[in-house]
């Protein structure tokens, strides 16, 4: 954890009109960013799509076709969780990232579903889900090439893919990885509002602001299990 506040890590103190003027100046950029995100979303809605083969995944009750993972919905978001077979703890970033999704019922109104797919064996995946208190539905692609075919091969990084179902046909409509997944997280949005931000070394912050190595303040997998697992104390 980073050190707590010091007298050198404080914004300058000004009168109300000066503060309001600075906020109004920032608001211009914030509004421009909002409009740009709207334009990006509009372009995303106009993307073409590619038809996928009839993949078979493995769910809690055994083999399941990809089309059935939609559970009757027309749209499906998949988070591809990094996995190392047999490891006690899986990727801390993926574990922490997906731990925030505990109420996904609102997606029903949009004819959509959000699930996790990992390349790990389903028994290991479900045990890990319980261990860290994850609330999402998990599937395994260990018996198919699905992960590799959509940018999340075994031994590689995490990713997000979005799919559209038309009858029994499934189409891939969008993909991202790396920091592209941040738009799905409320945690970064909250932290970025704070005066000190993420406090990571790479960020552009005023002199004297708290700094720490990248990722060092993130919850690691054991932290998530301690907070949200079966014996957690949130």
């Amino acid at each position: 954890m980073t050190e707590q506040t010091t007298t050198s890590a404080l914004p300058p103190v000004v009168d109300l009109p000066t503060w309001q003027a600075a906020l109004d100046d920032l608001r211009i950029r914030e509004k421009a960013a909002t409009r740009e995100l709207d334009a990006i979303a509009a372009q995303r809605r106009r993307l073409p799509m590619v038809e996928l083969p009839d993949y078979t995944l493995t769910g809690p009750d055994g083999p399941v076709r990809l089309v059935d993972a939609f559970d009757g919905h027309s749209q499906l978001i998949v988070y591809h969780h990094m996995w190392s077979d047999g490891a006690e703890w899986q990727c801390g970033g993926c574990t922490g990232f997906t731990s925030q999704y505990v109420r996904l019922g609102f997606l029903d109104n949009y004819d959509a579903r959000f699930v996790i797919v990992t390349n790990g064996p389903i028994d290991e995946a479900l045990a890990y889900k319980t261990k860290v208190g994850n609330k999402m539905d998990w599937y395994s692609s260990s018996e198919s090439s699905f992960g590799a075919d959509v940018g999340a091969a075994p031994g590689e990084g995490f990713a997000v893919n979005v799919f559209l179902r038309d009858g029994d046909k499934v189409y891939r409509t969008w993909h991202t990885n790396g920091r592209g997944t941040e738009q799905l997280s409320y945690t970064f949005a909250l932290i970025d509002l704070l005066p000190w931000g993420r406090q990571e070394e790479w960020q552009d912050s005023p002199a004297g602001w708290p700094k720490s190595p990248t990722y060092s303040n993130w919850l690691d997998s054991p932290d998530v299990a301690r907070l949200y697992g079966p014996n957690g104390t949130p």
Side-chain angles (χ1 to χ4, degrees), residues 19 21 66 73 138 159 195 215 218 225 234:
W19 175 83
L66 175 61
H73 297 91
W138 286 56
Y215 312 128
W218 293 23

Side-chain angles (χ1 to χ4, degrees), residues 114-223:
F114 184 18
V115 303
I116 288 175
V117 174
T118 182
N119 292 305
I122 189 62
D123 289 346
E124 284 189 29
L126 294 177
Y128 188 72
K129 169 188 172 177
T130 299
K131 182 178 181 179
V132 298
N134 189 284
K135 303 300 182 184
M136 297 179 68
D137 292 321
W138 286 56
Y139 296 88
S140 169
S141 57
S142 62
E143 302 300 318
S144 79
S145 63
F146 174 67
D149 293 347
V150 295
E156 294 185 0
F158 57 93
V160 173
N161 278 283
V162 180
F163 307 97
L164 181 67
R165 179 180 69 86
D166 183 19
D168 274 352
K169 293 184 177 180
V170 175
Y171 302 88
R172 187 186 186 197
T173 65
W174 188 75
H175 164 268
T176 194
N177 55 23
R179 292 194 65 198
T181 63
E182 286 188 9
Q183 65 180 289
L184 305 180
S185 170
Y186 73 82
T187 56
F188 290 123
L190 287 176
I191 295 168
D192 285 341
L193 293 178
L194 299 173
W196 299 330
R198 303 185 198 182
Q199 305 174 37
E200 297 191 355
E201 293 172 328
W202 61 272
Q203 289 199 293
D204 180 0
S205 297
W209 252 228
K211 291 280 189 177
S212 56
T214 302
Y215 312 128
S216 62
N217 285 334
W218 293 23
L219 292 180
D220 202 355
S221 301
D223 302 316

